[in-house]
Structures are given as C-alpha cells and as structure tokens.
C-alpha cells in the first residue's frame, strides 16, 4: 500500500507562487508514476501534471503549461509542483496521485491518492 501526504497549499494573491510537496511511503518511490490533479467546487477532478518514474518525462495540462513545473526527488520520496503566475481559476483542492503503470492523464488510472491540499488564489 502506498501512502501519500501533500503539503504546501495556502492562500496567495494572483500572480504569486506556491510549491506543493507530496511525500510517499509504503513502496519504492522510483517504481511509481506520480501526478497532480485538482478539483474545484462543483467541478470534476482534472489532470494537472505527471512525471514518469525517473522524472525524464513530464506531461502538463494545457491550462498550466509554462506556469507549473512538476519534479521529483527519488532520494527523498517526494514529488513537487511548483506553481508560478497563479490565477484565480487555479483555486482548487490539489491531489497527489501515484500508480505503478504508465504515465496517464486519466484520474481513474491512478490507484493511490493523497488527502488533498487547498490552494486559493485571490484576485
């Protein structure tokens, strides 16, 4: 079983930055594909970014491309999401997800989820 714990959310003004972290345990971190999803009130959970097991491949949603960066440190069992130039529409609960298979943008393909961390961007 894989446990994921997110941190780093908070309140930030439009144009500001935040860095989210997700610490994983329970399995060798380098065997996990890692991703970030988000869910705003009344909306479906949507893909944000994902990284392959080695970090050599990254994928982003069009809405965050050029503003967000996903990275991982396999020595620290942690994946990060650096969020720059934040907009009010980025406001959501951000979830870390993990899977043993291949990188994917579909939330149903991920078996393990964190509890989420709130990000609020004020205008």
């Amino acid at each position: 079983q894989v446990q994921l714990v997110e941190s780093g959310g908070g309140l930030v003004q439009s144009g500001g930055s935040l860095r989210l972290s997700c610490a994983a345990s329970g399995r060798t971190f380098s065997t996990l594909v890692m991703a970030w999803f988000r869910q705003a009130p009344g909306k479906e959970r949507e893909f944000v970014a994902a990284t392959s097991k080695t970090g050599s491949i990254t994928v982003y949603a069009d809405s965050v491309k050029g503003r967000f960066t996903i990275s991982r440190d396999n020595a620290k069992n942690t994946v990060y999401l650096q969020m720059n130039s934040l907009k009010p529409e980025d406001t959501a609960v951000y979830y870390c997800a993990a899977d043993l298979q291949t990188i994917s943008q579909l939330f149903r393909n991920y078996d393990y989820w964190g509890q989420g961390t709130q990000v609020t961007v004020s205008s």
Side-chain angles (χ1 to χ4, degrees), residues 84-107:
N84 298 329
S85 302
L86 282 161
K87 305 175 181 180
E89 51 263 43
D90 294 318
T91 296
V93 177
Y94 283 71
Y95 296 92
C96 176
D99 197 73
L100 296 171
Q101 305 303 320
T102 58
I103 201 167
S104 171
Q105 299 188 35
L106 301 177
F107 71 85

Side-chain angles (χ1 to χ4, degrees), residues 6-10 18-21 83 117-119:
E6 302 100 332
S7 61
L18 281 175
R19 188 176 83 154
L20 305 182
S21 300
M83 305 185 293
T117 185
Q118 177 70 46
V119 171

Side-chain angles (χ1 to χ4, degrees), residues 25-74:
S25 61
R27 193 172 184 97
T28 302
F29 189 63
S30 60
T31 66
L32 299 171
V33 170
M34 300 299 298
W36 289 95
F37 287 77
R38 66 187 181 186
Q39 188 166 18
K43 295 188 177 182
E44 292 187 351
R45 191 166 299 191
E46 66 171 352
F47 172 78
V48 176
T51 179
S52 61
K53 298 175 183 180
T54 62
S56 60
I57 299 171
T58 56
V59 180
Y60 296 93
D62 288 343
S63 59
V64 307
K65 203 170 293 183
R67 300 188 298 123
F68 291 11
T69 302
I70 188 170
S71 61
R72 65 189 295 159
D73 186 337
N74 284 358

